[in-house]
Amino acid sequence: MIAFIDEHRMEYGVEPICKVLPIAPSTYYSWLSVARDPSRASDRARRDAELLPQIQRVWEENFEVYGVRKVWHQLRREGFSVARCTVERLMRQLGIQGVIRGKPRKTTLPDPALPCPLDRVNRRFRAAAPNTLWVSDFTYVSTWQGFVYVAFVIDTFANRIVGWRASRSQQTQFVLDALEQALCERRPAGGLTHHSDRGGQYLSIRYTERLAEAGIEPSVGSVGDSYDNALAETIIGLFKAEVIHRLGPWKSADAVEWETLKWVDWLSNRYPHVKALGSRTSAVPQGWQHAAQISSAGPGPYPSRCAEMSGCREQGCLRGRHVPPHHGLRRHGLPVFNAQSILRAAANLNGMARPTSAAGTAQHACAGPGWRAPV
């Protein structure tokens, strides 16, 4: 930024350039005065100027393998009084670091030759309805047989895993299998956005063609910024904490796949935090909302739309649509709960009066002719 101002100051002036760039003119002039007279620099800046070549020398003399701790100890042996945090900061400034044991694993391998979609999410990971925004990512697990890669597809409406796959290879096929599982389970009708990082698997021709075939809008975050896919990173962190780190070490890929299957089933269908039934993270409101969303799609004794789309407080009526609690959930492969607990969850979610009995639900004036009370 300073170099840019120096280069264009004769053409545009310092103050007009500083109005556009995030820098004050006084900062530039202060740097300019120090460059002309180094004695005007602060004590810390002068101390850093003395330590930087010493740190670089120690690092180069020891095969460029010393890390912060070893460089710090070597400087103290040579008589330099310096703090460890100072050595760490200056090594970061120099762009040097110690050697790391083992081979680092990189799951995000961007391909600059591939065309990249825009970021349509902009770190807004809350969806107003199911099948509106999916996020995807994968991680690796170290086993005695080698590395195992686990991919997830998450619906951001309730942070629910709708597709996953474990594989010994990080090729495109295994993330495509996770996407196929999500499409088979949810069958999105349209208006769905799929967000991921810039990994080569998610930017591959096969993956993007499958998204286009399903009518899904692709979205990709920036390079090297985990915040652009923070929700997927959070779910993966939860998976690592609750399964991988707690139950390891792992002997085989089959063991990782089996425990992942049990964890995904527990997280999506039997999440025990029933005290939060009114929150989006609960499986009951998610299943109820999904049943309400698709209940008018197929044949059978499904309810008709309520004449009054708002304010309906009859038992079993959710946002103006009457959904038999058991029938819709069982028909679409969703977990079947006790009818009373489902109605209570729906009441808490929508501010309705708590029903007293599912069996006592009666047809009211705005119900369609094909609707019948659950038994």
Side-chain angles (χ1 to χ4, degrees):
M1 194 176 299
I2 298 294
F4 179 84
I5 297 176
D6 279 338
E7 182 180 354
H8 297 89
R9 60 179 298 185
M10 300 303 298
E11 182 178 358
Y12 301 105
V14 175
E15 283 75 11
I17 296 177
C18 291
K19 287 183 179 179
V20 178
L21 299 179
I23 183 175
S26 59
T27 303
Y28 170 74
Y29 288 122
S30 175
W31 176 89
L32 202 62
S33 64
V34 171
R36 292 174 179 174
D37 184 8
S39 63
R40 304 185 62 177
S42 63
D43 294 339
R44 172 173 168 169
R46 291 197 298 268
R47 177 64 170 168
D48 289 349
E50 296 174 2
L51 290 175
L52 283 172
Q54 300 299 328
I55 292 176
Q56 184 76 33
R57 175 187 58 81
V58 170
W59 185 71
E60 291 177 352
E61 288 179 353
N62 293 277
F63 298 98
E64 300 181 354
V65 299
Y66 271 11
V68 174
R69 183 179 61 86
K70 293 182 179 180
V71 171
W72 175 53
H73 283 304
Q74 180 62 30
L75 289 175
R76 290 175 61 86
R77 280 194 293 267
E78 295 180 5
F80 292 94
S81 178
V82 59
R84 186 186 187 279
C85 59
T86 302
V87 176
E88 181 180 3
R89 175 175 58 85
L90 295 180
M91 288 185 66
R92 190 184 309 115
Q93 180 178 334
L94 290 170
I96 59 178
Q97 64 177 5
V99 68
I100 300 175
R101 296 187 181 184
K103 183 179 179 181
R105 305 297 301 181
K106 293 183 178 180
T107 57
T108 303
L109 303 174
D111 189 349
L114 295 176
C116 184
L118 299 176
D119 187 354
R120 306 180 185 278
V121 177
N122 293 324
R123 303 182 181 179
R124 295 189 294 267
F125 296 108
R126 272 294 162 237
N131 299 334
T132 302
L133 175 61
W134 290 356
V135 295
S136 300
D137 201 0
F138 70 93
T139 185
Y140 66 91
V141 180
S142 178
T143 70
W144 293 3
Q145 297 178 347
F147 283 97
V148 178
Y149 303 91
V150 185
F152 296 102
V153 180
I154 303 115
D155 189 334
T156 62
F157 174 74
N159 297 351
R160 183 166 181 160
I161 298 174
V162 294
W164 69 278
R165 181 75 166 89
S167 172
R168 297 183 183 180
S169 171
Q170 55 176 334
Q171 296 180 355
T172 303
Q173 183 59 45
F174 100 101
V175 294
L176 192 58
D177 290 342
L179 177 63
E180 292 289 354
Q181 181 184 1
L183 293 174
C184 181
E185 177 180 345
R186 287 300 182 89
R187 294 181 173 87
L192 172 61
T193 300
H194 175 280
H195 184 76
S196 66
D197 56 24
R198 294 193 178 224
Q201 297 86 352
Y202 296 110
L203 296 180
S204 63
I205 296 177
R206 295 176 59 195
Y207 201 89
T208 53
E209 285 182 349
R210 186 65 183 97
L211 292 177
E213 181 183 349
I216 301 175
E217 188 73 26
S219 173
V220 173
S222 60
V223 178
D225 194 344
S226 61
Y227 290 103
D228 285 349
N229 201 18
L231 182 57
E233 299 285 354
T234 300
I235 297 298
I236 287 178
L238 191 67
F239 166 68
K240 286 291 191 73
E242 295 183 348
V243 179
I244 302 304
H245 299 326
R246 186 176 66 89
L247 302 178
W250 300 92
K251 296 182 179 180
S252 64
D254 294 338
V256 174
E257 187 173 13
W258 174 246
E259 293 298 333
T260 304
L261 171 64
K262 295 196 296 183
W263 180 76
V264 170
D265 173 68
W266 170 80
L267 185 70
S268 299
N269 301 328
R270 298 180 288 111
Y271 199 55
H273 297 171
V274 294
K275 65 180 181 180
L277 283 176
S279 67
R280 287 181 172 180
T281 56
S282 173
V284 177
Q286 166 73 0
W288 178 273
Q289 289 280 4
H290 183 58
Q293 187 182 45
I294 63 178
S295 60
S296 60
Y302 281 98
S304 61
R305 187 175 296 274
C306 185
E308 300 177 0
M309 290 305 296
S310 62
C312 181
R313 295 180 178 272
E314 288 289 332
Q315 299 176 10
C317 184
L318 179 61
R319 294 182 180 175
R321 184 176 295 175
H322 299 273
V323 183
H326 278 316
H327 185 88
L329 294 176
R330 182 182 293 113
R331 178 181 180 85
H332 294 279
L334 294 171
V336 178
F337 300 87
N338 178 271
Q340 178 70 19
S341 65
I342 296 178
L343 290 176
R344 185 181 299 110
N348 294 338
L349 183 64
N350 294 274
M352 299 187 300
R354 178 171 297 180
T356 57
S357 174
T361 305
Q363 178 179 358
H364 77 60
C366 56
W371 184 84
R372 50 194 173 92
V375 293

